[in-house]
């Protein structure tokens, strides 16, 4: 079932975001290269926490590991938010944890589906990718100066199998119900605001919340990392967001960056 989307209008975006802490100021583009590139440039220039860049269409959208991210007009939600948390740079993966939790909670709030996260940044529904998170930071010494949180969600259409390296789906296809993109945007921002304090909280709440959405734990996986493949069983994650992989030798290693794939026995 296909539900069409109305094109975004700056006035309706402004209206929807009234009262939100995140989402001010907001820059709305009908077409842009990448909202992350634009937000990063604005953050480098001193843009405040809460600044949002939203694009109807991206012509050079980026995913992790230099992959391209497709955002055809009228079908998706693509935006980047500037955050300025007081966080050590080596804890930047906690921002991805926070965003994953906020997006999943927003999807649950608006639709009957159960979203899951594939470590560290893929949003899945029924085993297919519906969205992704790209967090990019500016740092000085070991202090995060800013984090640009990029979120892309397939709302009414998804790329075909040949166009992506992981099966994709769209939120409306899985939910079998119309999803208003601006309401989705506003709900994600609301969830981010509500959970923001967990980012720097000394307790285990952010990790516990994140784990409740993580898929493929206690499963044989292969993690493709910049330094080679790691084969083992995903055991869990630590408070910094690192994936804990138990090797066949019994030793457990921490992985901070990589791409996880299921390993068939
Ligand atoms: C991934 O799955 O690897 C992450 C995809 C992140 C895509 C979003 S869309 C908005 C923002 N702008 C970009 O160029 N990328 C992110």
């Amino acid at each position: 079932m296909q539900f069409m989307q109305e094109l975004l209008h700056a006035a309706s975006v402004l209206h929807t975001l009234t009262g939100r802490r995140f989402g001010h100021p907001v820059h709305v583009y009908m077409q842009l290269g990448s909202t992350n590139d634009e937000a990063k440039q604005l953050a480098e220039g001193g843009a405040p926490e809460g600044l949002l860049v939203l694009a109807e269409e991206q012509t050079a959208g980026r995913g992790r590991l230099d992959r391209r991210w497709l955002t055809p007009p009228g079908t998706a939600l693509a935006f980047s938010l500037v955050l300025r948390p007081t966080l050590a740079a080596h804890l930047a993966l906690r921002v991805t944890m926070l965003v994953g939790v906020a997006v999943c909670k927003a999807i649950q709030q608006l639709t009957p589906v159960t979203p899951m996260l594939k470590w560290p940044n893929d949003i899945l529904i029924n085993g297919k990718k519906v969205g992704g998170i790209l967090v990019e930071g500016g740092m000085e010494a070991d202090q995060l100066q800013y984090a640009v949180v990029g979120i892309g969600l397939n709302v009414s259409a998804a790329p075909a199998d040949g166009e992506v390296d992981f099966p994709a789906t769209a939120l409306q296809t899985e939910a079998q119900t119309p999803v208003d993109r601006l309401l989705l945007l506003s709900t994600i921002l609301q969830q981010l605001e509500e959970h923001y304090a967990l980012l720097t909280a000394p307790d285990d709440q952010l990790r516990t919340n994140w784990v409740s959405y993580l898929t493929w734990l206690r499963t044989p996986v292969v993690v493709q990392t910049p330094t080679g493949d790691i084969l083992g069983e995903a055991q869990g994650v630590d408070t910094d967001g690192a994936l804990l992989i138990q090797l066949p030798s019994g030793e457990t290693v921490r992985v901070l960056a990589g791409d996880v794939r299921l390993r068939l026995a």
Side-chain angles (χ1 to χ4, degrees):
M1 204 186 313
Q2 284 267 16
F3 301 97
M4 301 310 287
Q5 293 284 331
E6 267 187 36
L7 290 187
L8 298 170
H9 292 289
S12 358
V13 175
L14 273 173
H15 178 74
T16 306
L17 298 182
T18 307
R20 293 260 73 86
R21 184 156 75 90
F22 295 154
H24 298 283
V26 58
H27 298 215
V28 183
Y29 292 87
M30 281 304 109
Q31 191 188 64
L32 190 66
S34 153
T35 56
N36 258 43
D37 289 347
E38 180 71 9
K40 257 180 11 183
Q41 200 178 325
L42 292 164
E44 291 285 348
E49 172 160 280
L51 176 133
L52 184 80
V53 178
L54 175 70
E56 178 68 76
E57 177 184 9
Q58 292 187 117
T59 53
R62 297 183 290 106
R64 272 191 341 128
L65 310 169
D66 280 334
R67 293 185 181 133
R68 70 194 176 122
W69 183 263
L70 301 168
T71 312
T75 66
L77 191 56
F79 65 92
S80 302
L81 175 72
V82 173
L83 296 178
R84 294 191 180 274
T86 307
L87 199 67
H90 73 273
L91 298 179
L93 199 49
R94 283 179 69 84
V95 181
T96 302
M97 297 165 77
L98 167 76
V99 178
V101 168
V103 172
C104 287
K105 286 189 184 291
I107 290 175
Q108 281 180 303
Q109 200 173 319
L110 298 179
T111 76
V113 299
T114 305
M116 300 294 289
L117 296 168
K118 180 166 88 67
W119 185 92
N121 73 322
D122 291 340
I123 303 149
L124 308 186
I125 298 175
N126 297 326
K128 293 183 184 168
K129 183 159 170 170
V130 73
I133 299 161
L134 178 65
V135 175
E136 298 181 297
M139 47 205 76
E140 239 175 66
D142 187 37
Q143 194 57 41
L144 208 55
Q145 296 301 308
Y146 66 82
V148 165
V149 166
I151 300 176
L153 285 164
N154 308 326
V155 178
S156 60
D161 281 352
E163 289 184 287
V164 282
D165 66 347
F166 194 87
T169 191
L171 188 49
Q172 290 188 162
T173 311
E174 300 303 322
Q176 289 293 293
T177 180
V179 177
D180 181 294
R181 288 185 295 165
L182 288 185
L183 180 60
L184 181 60
L185 168 68
S186 175
T187 309
I188 293 171
L189 295 176
Q190 173 209 335
Q191 290 291 348
L192 278 171
E193 288 168 16
E194 277 178 23
H195 292 87
Y196 193 44
L198 296 188
L199 201 53
T200 45
D203 59 30
D204 200 31
Q205 268 196 70
L206 181 57
R207 192 191 68 87
T208 313
N209 251 300
W210 199 45
V211 167
S212 71
Y213 291 109
L214 282 179
T215 186
W216 295 359
L217 294 184
R218 287 163 296 283
T219 306
V221 292
V222 53
V223 191
Q224 294 164 331
T225 77
T227 50
D229 288 0
I230 300 173
L231 274 70
E233 197 172 290
Q235 294 294 320
V237 287
D238 65 17
T239 50
D240 301 352
L243 184 64
L244 304 173
I245 300 285
Q246 187 173 46
L247 304 179
S249 65
E251 185 197 347
T252 298
V253 291
R254 287 176 85 235
V255 183
L256 279 159
D259 205 27
V260 185
R261 301 279 149 158
L262 275 181
R263 187 161 53 92
L264 302 174

